[in-house]
Structures are given as structure tokens and as C-alpha cells.
Amino acid sequence: MGDDIQLDDDCIFCKIIRGEIPSFKVFEDDASLAFMDINPAAPGHCLVIPKHHAENIFVTPPHASAAAMATISKVAPAVERAVQPGGINIVQANGPAAAQSVFHTHFHIIPRHLDDNLLMNWGLNPGDMDEIGAVAEKIKAELD
Ligand code: DGP
């Protein structure tokens, strides 16, 4: 990690970046990380974060948001190929009314299916770790 990377000691996503807690990482570069969401709204649901701790999009420097967006451009097509959903939403929440629950700017890549009836503020239900790991491998294979 470069010297310009700013992380927070207590942030759960900063701990994932540093490898202090486990995660299914699917793509990483100097400035961003993509990993599987452990409360998936649908199989293949992943998160993309800048390697810069900032609470929300309002205070995230443009270079950090841009780094995350470049990674979304790589990972979303891989999710599309690996999961073959009917569509994909890119979602980013800021503040309680938007259902933000982790205060490190992140972008959701959410596979969608016709008639999945997924609401914007989906519930946070624990996923099956074996299933999450298996779909992570499929996405990673599409990124090779
Ligand atoms: P949001 O509600 O938009 O702030 O999304 C936060 C997401 O982060 C939510 O879908 C669940 C996910 N999440 C929370 N804690 C962890 C964790 O420790 N590991 C992983 N992989 N995902 C997490």
C-alpha cells in the first residue's frame, strides 16, 4: 500500500483492507478493493471501496471515488459473466435514511433478476459463507 493511503484503526472496512479480518476479496489494486458482501442481497453481491477512509461520498476525495469507479468498471462485467443475472444495480448509500450501515464509502454491485422484488433498503441477512466463497471464485476467474 502506498504512503498516501489513509485508513482508520476502528473501521471494519479498513480492517478488511489491512487483512485484519477475513473477507472474500475478488480484486485489489493500490487504491481500491472489491470483496464479497457478507449480507448479500443476491448471490454475487460485492462491495467496492476506496483504500481511503472517509465516512461517506460527501467527504471522499474525488481521486478515491474515481479509483473505486475504475474498479467497478472491471468487477461489474465480471459479476455479469459469473452470475448471469438479468441486470446489475450499482448502489451507494449516504446517511441513515439511505440505510448506510458502514461508515466507509462503498459501492454495492448487486445482481438483479426480474421479479426479485428487491427493495432499495434490503434487509441485512447473514449469507452462506460456502456459497459466497464459491461465487467469489467464479468472479475472480472472470477477472484473470
Ligand atoms: P450499507 O448498508 O450500504 O452501509 O452497506 C454495508 C454493507 O456491508 C452491508 O450490505 C453488509 C456489509 N458488511 C458489513 N459488515 C461486513 C463485514 O465485516 N464483511 C463484509 N464482507 N461485508 C460486511
Side-chain angles (χ1 to χ4, degrees):
M1 260 184 268
D3 292 340
D4 55 337
I5 302 291
Q6 291 180 39
L7 300 179
D8 179 88
D9 284 350
D10 300 321
C11 167
I12 191 113
F13 286 176
C14 289
K15 289 181 181 178
I16 286 174
I17 291 168
R18 287 194 297 266
E20 292 171 9
I21 62 171
S23 66
F24 295 102
K25 296 183 179 182
V26 296
F27 180 83
E28 182 165 21
D29 62 18
D30 284 350
S32 67
L33 171 67
F35 60 103
M36 305 308 290
D37 193 306
I38 53 164
N39 302 137
H45 180 172
C46 17
L47 300 171
V48 177
I49 57 176
K51 289 184 176 176
H52 176 104
H53 181 78
E55 181 173 331
N56 56 39
I57 202 75
F58 312 133
V59 292
T60 299
H63 70 82
S65 302
M69 191 52 73
T71 291
I72 289 168
S73 295
K74 289 192 180 82
V75 174
V79 174
E80 168 72 17
R81 292 192 296 271
V83 177
Q84 301 184 358
I88 285 181
N89 279 130
I90 310 295
V91 179
Q92 197 277 319
N94 303 282
Q100 184 181 11
S101 60
V102 176
F103 297 93
H104 178 131
T105 295
H106 53 279
F107 297 81
H108 297 262
I109 298 175
I110 306 175
R112 298 299 307 274
H113 300 273
L114 286 175
D115 304 322
D116 62 15
N117 295 321
L118 183 63
L119 300 174
M120 192 59 89
N121 289 356
W122 60 90
L124 296 180
N125 301 310
D128 179 303
M129 292 303 141
D130 290 340
E131 276 179 29
I132 293 172
V135 75
E137 290 306 316
K138 289 177 77 174
I139 294 167
K140 278 161 58 180
E142 295 292 346
L143 285 160
D144 284 343

